[in-house]
């Protein structure tokens, strides 16, 4: 009975796919409250990594389209159709937006899985609920933010006001397209800004669809716009635009650096970056539960096929527990078989596209050439339409100076680095240019605190990996960027602080 139910559920998603394709995918830009083609008429192909099939052709926006979107956003902002609403009115509309996302959860989850290969189980049970929760949370926050009175001299009244920055460009990656779009757009909208969202060209479908849902929920025309297109065209145009007030970006450190340059070359727009990572999972010799640690290591390295900024791609382990831990990690990894993302039983599917797959496989070969010990995986799956399926890969006895231990691969490749002490573990953890997240496994409270203080990363997990909540901020140190997503601190990117000093002296 369980197998039959599982097969029927799989078939149900296949049927939904046929229905969705038959109705046609939303594939245009969304500017000033309506869908429109790119001014140039140009499009780009949207290929599903699941089977290599063409899903649709998406509007390829360029400078002209970005100009139109920014102009619509500016006009809406200046008219006050959103920025001038009472916070409780914005709250009500954002709550309706969250309701629309939830009502279309199956459709959005399927779009995400078809577009970038996320397993349907993750998309439906984690990604979509996370997006809905994010919009709901910032909706609730909208009317709960108070301005301040500064403790100045008795004959003065000094008020400090949060005011929306204006037009916000949000540029999001392909690995969690909908959820990260909500991380950017929801707080920006809650604060009263207008938003122009540029999704990654590899995964634009959910952003395009959510724009219509936002408008249906009551967000006025021009307040939320979506401009799909190439990063070096549409993304650059937003970065260089003289009428964009703030830009929030999640993606690679290299591209994040370009947006800082664009800001400097244009209007000094505020920039917030959440960039790459090379997260260490540190297992010390007094780890309490090796089974729990092993499961977390495998989950941290291979969830979403390793396509996560804070993926635990480095296992730094004390030699005293190295061998028993590796036996457990290897055994778990070998149970993971790449499969169709639309099967609810699938826990590990395909990489986002063929180009990225080639790059990940180059790192696998580089690890072999550098003398790292290949423990398992390392091969590309064969079969028609399966060029984006790569086995979970583990390299043992990796040295900290190898490229596979230093550079962000953004794929299912785990580098295991044995060490001889907690101090060496922390040194190795800090030895990359990144500082997004880190985990440490120990039962000693003193070691926990020492590691949390010494590791240069924006989020430190103790005896777990990648745990979080919408109320808990995420962001990085060093070349992992600056600024925070999630929590009340995300609002700092999208507001200005205006001081009003009133002289009350006689």
């Amino acid at each position: 009975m369980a197998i039959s139910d599982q097969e029927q559920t799989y078939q149900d998603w296949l049927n939904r796919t046929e229905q969705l394709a038959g109705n046609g995918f939303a594939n245009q830009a969304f500017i000033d409250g309506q869908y429109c083609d790119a001014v140039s008429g140009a499009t780009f192909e949207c290929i599903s990594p699941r089977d290599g099939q063409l899903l649709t052709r998406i509007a390829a926006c360029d400078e002209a389209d970005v100009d139109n979107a920014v102009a619509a956003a500016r006009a809406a902002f200046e008219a006050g159709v959103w920025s001038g609403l009472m916070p409780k009115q914005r709250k009500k509309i954002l709550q309706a937006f969250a309701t629309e996302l939830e009502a279309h959860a199956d459709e959005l989850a399927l779009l995400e899985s078809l577009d970038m290969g996320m397993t349907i189980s993750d998309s439906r049970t984690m990604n979509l609920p996370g997006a809905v929760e994010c919009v709901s949370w910032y909706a609730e926050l909208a009317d709960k933010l108070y301005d301040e009175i500064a403790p100045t001299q008795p004959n003065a009244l000094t008020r400090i006001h949060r005011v929306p920055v204006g037009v916000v460009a949000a540029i999001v990656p392909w690995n969690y397209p909908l959820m990260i779009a909500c991380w950017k757009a929801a707080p920006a909208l809650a604060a009263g800004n207008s938003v122009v969202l540029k999704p990654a060209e590899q995964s634009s479908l959910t952003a395009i669809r959510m724009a219509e849902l936002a408008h249906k929920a009551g967000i006025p025309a021009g307040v939320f716009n979506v401009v799909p297109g190439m990063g070096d065209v549409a993304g650059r145009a937003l970065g260089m635009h003289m009428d964009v007030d703030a830009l929030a970006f999640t993606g690679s450190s290299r591209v994040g650096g370009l947006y800082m340059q664009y800001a400097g070359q244009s209007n000094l727009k505020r920039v917030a970056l959440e960039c790459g990572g090379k997260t260490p999972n540190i297992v010390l010799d007094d780890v309490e539960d090796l089974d729990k640690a092993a499961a977390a290591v495998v989950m941290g390295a291979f969830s979403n096929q390793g396509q996560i900024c804070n993926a635990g791609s480095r296992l730094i382990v004390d030699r005293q527990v190295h061998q028993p831990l590796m036996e457990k990690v290897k055994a778990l990894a070998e149970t993971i078989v790449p499969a169709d993302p639309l099967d609810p039983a699938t826990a590990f599917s395909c990489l986002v596209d063929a180009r990225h797959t080639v790059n990940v496989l180059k790192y696998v070969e580089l690890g072999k050439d550098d003398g790292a010990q290949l423990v398992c995986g390392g091969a590309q799956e064969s079969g028609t339409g399966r060029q984006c399926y790569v086995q979970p890969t583990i390299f043992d006895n990796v040295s900290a100076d190898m490229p596979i231990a230093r550079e962000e691969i953004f794929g299912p490749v785990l580098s295991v680095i044995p060490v001889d002490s907690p101090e060496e573990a922390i040194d190795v953890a800090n030895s990359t240019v990144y500082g997004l997240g880190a985990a440490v496994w120990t039962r000693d409270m003193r070691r926990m605190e020492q590691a949390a203080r010494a590791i240069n990363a924006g989020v430190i997990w103790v005896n777990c990996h990648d745990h979080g909540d919408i109320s808990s901020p995420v962001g990085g140190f060093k070349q992992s960027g600056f600024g925070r997503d999630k929590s009340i601190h995300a609002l700092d990117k999208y507001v200005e602080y205006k001081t009003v000093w009133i002289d009350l002296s006689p």
Side-chain angles (χ1 to χ4, degrees):
M1 183 66 69
I3 293 176
S4 175
D5 289 345
Q6 186 180 77
E7 289 176 348
Q8 181 59 41
T9 303
Y10 181 25
Q11 187 61 49
D12 184 56
W13 286 112
L14 295 176
N15 292 341
R16 288 174 185 266
T17 298
E18 290 186 10
Q19 182 181 6
L20 197 60
N23 293 333
F25 297 94
N27 57 8
Q28 296 171 291
F30 193 88
I31 298 174
D32 204 15
Q34 60 186 355
Y35 282 123
C36 57
D37 293 331
V39 171
S40 68
T43 62
F44 63 93
E45 292 185 338
C46 176
I47 304 292
S48 176
R50 160 178 185 260
D51 56 8
Q53 296 299 305
L54 176 70
L55 296 175
T56 187
R57 299 180 189 275
I58 295 175
C61 294
D62 60 19
E63 290 85 352
D65 305 285
V66 168
D67 283 344
N68 290 341
V70 173
R74 176 61 64 191
F77 183 78
E78 297 298 338
V81 296
W82 182 255
S83 59
L85 292 182
M86 290 187 295
K88 65 181 180 181
Q89 293 174 305
R90 292 201 296 268
K91 167 186 172 179
K92 184 176 180 180
I93 295 171
L94 286 173
Q95 287 175 326
F97 180 27
T99 299
E100 288 292 333
L101 292 175
E102 189 167 31
H104 293 82
D106 285 345
E107 175 193 355
L108 293 167
L110 183 55
L111 286 174
E112 206 96 307
S113 293
L114 291 172
D115 204 6
M116 60 74 56
M118 183 182 297
T119 65
I120 194 66
S121 57
D122 278 355
S123 188
R124 188 61 184 86
T125 64
M126 182 266 292
N127 192 35
L128 261 296
V132 172
E133 180 189 33
C134 176
V135 176
S136 299
W137 198 86
Y138 285 105
E140 287 290 347
L141 187 63
D143 65 349
K144 297 173 180 63
L145 296 170
Y146 289 81
D147 291 333
E148 303 171 15
I149 302 293
T152 55
Q153 57 204 54
N155 61 351
L157 174 62
T158 307
R159 302 197 308 259
I160 304 167
H161 300 276
R162 285 189 186 89
V163 297
V165 69
V167 175
V168 173
I171 300 172
V172 298
W174 47 257
N175 60 329
Y176 286 95
L178 180 64
M179 187 160 63
I180 296 180
C182 291
W183 286 4
K184 309 294 188 190
L189 292 169
N193 297 285
S194 296
V195 173
V196 179
L197 172 66
K198 209 296 278 186
E201 54 265 33
Q202 298 92 336
S203 57
S204 302
L205 294 181
T206 49
I208 293 171
R209 184 69 175 99
M210 74 182 285
E212 184 179 21
L213 298 178
H215 188 63
K216 181 181 177 183
I219 294 178
V223 173
F224 185 67
N225 309 274
V226 175
V227 285
M230 299 298 109
D232 57 356
V233 180
R236 183 182 185 279
L238 283 168
M240 292 291 292
H241 207 286
M242 295 296 291
D243 207 24
V244 170
D245 300 298
L247 186 147
F249 168 79
T250 294
S252 72
S253 299
R254 181 189 66 81
V255 177
L258 292 177
Y259 282 110
M260 292 186 70
Q261 293 179 41
Y262 300 154
Q265 293 166 16
S266 55
N267 62 343
L268 293 180
K269 60 179 62 66
R270 179 183 303 180
V271 176
L273 306 175
E274 197 264 88
C275 297
K278 195 69 178 175
T279 296
N281 225 330
I282 302 172
V283 180
L284 300 181
D285 59 354
D286 65 339
V287 57
E288 187 168 11
D289 188 338
L290 272 182
D291 289 317
K292 180 182 176 183
V297 166
V298 172
M299 179 276 295
F302 302 131
S303 290
N304 205 28
Q305 296 69 251
Q307 299 169 133
I308 305 176
C309 293
N310 58 22
S313 55
R314 288 186 296 161
L315 171 57
I316 303 172
V317 56
D318 192 288
R319 291 186 197 277
Q320 294 188 49
V321 293
H322 172 222
Q323 190 59 35
L325 179 62
M326 280 305 301
E327 290 174 0
K328 295 177 183 293
V329 167
K330 180 176 182 290
L332 288 172
E334 288 180 337
T335 67
I336 301 173
V337 179
D340 188 347
L342 297 192
D343 186 345
T346 296
F348 183 95
S349 61
C350 50
L351 300 181
V352 69
D353 62 20
R355 180 180 177 182
H356 183 56
T357 302
V358 169
N359 190 58
V360 169
L361 291 172
K362 285 181 179 178
Y363 274 103
V364 172
E365 293 306 311
L366 187 59
K368 295 176 184 177
D369 293 343
D370 285 343
Q373 177 189 349
L374 181 63
V375 173
C376 67
Q380 182 179 19
E381 293 283 296
S382 60
T384 303
R386 293 182 62 83
Q387 66 265 36
C388 296
Y389 292 76
V390 175
Q391 297 170 345
T393 303
I394 300 175
F395 283 104
D396 199 0
N397 295 309
V398 176
S399 64
D401 60 349
M402 290 181 182
I404 60 170
R406 296 195 328 268
E407 299 175 14
E408 185 179 40
I409 301 172
F410 219 66
V413 180
L414 174 64
S415 295
V416 182
I417 308 171
V419 294
D420 293 305
S421 69
E423 293 75 19
E424 184 184 0
I426 291 171
D427 286 343
V428 171
N430 287 336
S431 66
T432 74
V433 299
Y434 301 110
L436 191 56
V440 61
W441 297 78
T442 176
R443 71 179 72 186
D444 187 321
M445 288 296 297
R446 182 178 58 85
R447 281 180 164 183
M448 292 179 194
E449 187 60 27
Q450 287 175 339
R453 293 186 182 190
I455 296 171
N456 295 321
V459 183
I460 310 294
W461 300 285
V462 178
N463 294 330
C464 61
H465 182 270
D466 202 20
H467 286 200
D469 184 83
I470 189 62
S471 63
S472 175
V474 297
F477 290 8
K478 301 190 290 185
Q479 291 185 34
S480 289
F482 48 86
R484 294 295 182 266
D485 285 321
K486 302 199 304 181
S487 84
I488 194 171
H489 297 287
L491 288 172
D492 292 341
K493 304 194 292 287
Y494 307 120
V495 298
E496 298 282 12
Y497 290 91
K498 180 182 287 188
T499 299
V500 180
W501 184 291
I502 303 173
D503 186 356
L504 300 177
S505 59

